[in-house]
Amino acid sequence: DAGVIQSPRHEVTEMGQEVTLRCKPISGHNSLFWYRQTMMRGLELLIYFNNNVPIDDSGMPEDRFSAKMPNASFSTLKIQPSEPRDSAVYFCASRGDRAGYTFGSGTRLTVV
Amino acid sequence: TQLLEQSPQFLSIQEGENLTVYCNSSSVFSSLQWYRQEPGEGPVLLVTVVTGGEVKKLKRLTFQFGDARKDSSLHITAAQPGDTGLYLCAGGGTYKYIFGTGTRLKVLA
């Protein structure tokens, strides 16, 4: 298994632009999580899906952030419009029943 | 709001030394996990503990879950440069885990 695959690995964009981050979870894992990591705030849970359904999006910072999971093998996190304070490493993780998370390698987002 | 505080925040030691990292909360968790994260990569699961008082060993790493399931510790014996990284605890329930503040360990050769 290739693990959790995220793309792109790095993204540099200008303030105001739309950013889309992508994630392919491990086949058979029924839960998917989006986290954001910064030095100041550590790992913050943004949203998680169970069986493709959003269960808890209370961590999504504001309406500029949205996430979708159209099928079991794909999820996106979109920021529109992006702001410099959104700069962080965004991780996707998937989890099967009674298992720990498997994280992707992350997307390092820089908004200038 | 559930919070997990880890201490120390930073630790720099010489190869061969022992160390202990702590993870504390005022909340009770049904299970607790430890992860290690290396630069440029996502966290990697080391262990899951589910029973109060449980002790698990993974080679030179010893993990303990507190009796009240509110705290945990990670002890490393004879640290090696390969142990360098960010250690994260995560307390969880049915669906999701809350991550601790992290301990950044550097082991010098």
Side-chain angles (χ1 to χ4, degrees):
Chain A
D1 198 322
V4 176
I5 300 173
Q6 291 187 245
S7 64
R9 284 298 308 268
H10 302 274
E11 177 80 39
V12 180
T13 190
E14 292 186 345
M15 183 174 63
Q17 295 297 306
E18 177 180 297
V19 175
T20 300
L21 311 180
R22 297 173 175 80
C23 175
K24 177 179 168 55
I26 290 176
S27 177
H29 281 188
N30 56 3
S31 296
L32 182 139
F33 305 80
W34 283 100
Y35 280 86
R36 176 173 67 178
Q37 187 175 39
T38 61
M39 286 294 290
M40 292 295 295
R41 301 171 69 94
L43 262 175
E44 300 175 279
L45 177 63
L46 301 177
I47 185 171
Y48 73 93
F49 296 84
N50 187 252
N51 293 322
N52 311 338
V53 177
I55 301 299
D56 184 352
D57 65 354
S58 59
M60 296 285 262
E62 48 199 272
D63 292 344
R64 297 184 298 106
F65 286 68
S66 63
K68 294 182 180 179
M69 192 165 185
N71 57 62
S73 59
F74 185 65
S75 177
T76 60
L77 177 68
K78 184 177 294 185
I79 308 173
Q80 166 63 17
S82 58
E83 297 182 2
R85 60 190 167 125
D86 302 330
S87 297
V89 181
Y90 290 81
F91 286 103
C92 174
S94 69
R95 180 186 178 203
D97 291 336
R98 299 178 180 274
Y101 293 151
T102 300
F103 281 83
S105 297
T107 295
R108 181 173 294 277
L109 173 65
T110 303
V111 183
V112 298
Chain B
T1 302
Q2 295 177 314
L3 291 174
L4 279 166
E5 296 286 338
Q6 289 186 238
S7 62
Q9 189 176 359
F10 299 97
L11 188 57
S12 181
I13 62 171
Q14 293 292 325
E15 182 177 5
E17 292 184 358
N18 301 332
L19 68 115
T20 302
V21 175
Y22 299 93
C23 173
N24 295 291
S25 175
S26 57
S27 302
V28 175
F29 294 101
S30 60
S31 63
L32 194 135
Q33 299 180 334
W34 285 92
Y35 292 79
R36 181 170 67 210
Q37 184 179 16
E38 298 187 15
E41 296 298 327
V44 175
L45 178 66
L46 296 174
V47 76
T48 301
V49 285
V50 297
T51 305
E54 181 177 1
V55 177
K56 280 193 174 179
K57 291 192 175 184
L58 184 66
K59 296 183 180 179
R60 296 177 292 101
L61 279 60
T62 302
F63 305 86
Q64 184 164 8
F65 201 9
D67 291 341
R69 291 186 287 124
K70 292 182 178 181
D71 55 87
S72 181
S73 64
L74 158 60
H75 182 79
I76 301 179
T77 303
Q80 299 177 359
D83 296 326
T84 293
L86 176 66
Y87 288 81
L88 295 160
C89 64
T94 304
Y95 285 113
K96 64 180 183 181
Y97 281 78
I98 305 299
F99 280 80
T101 50
T103 293
R104 198 167 295 275
L105 171 66
K106 186 169 186 177
V107 182
L108 304 171

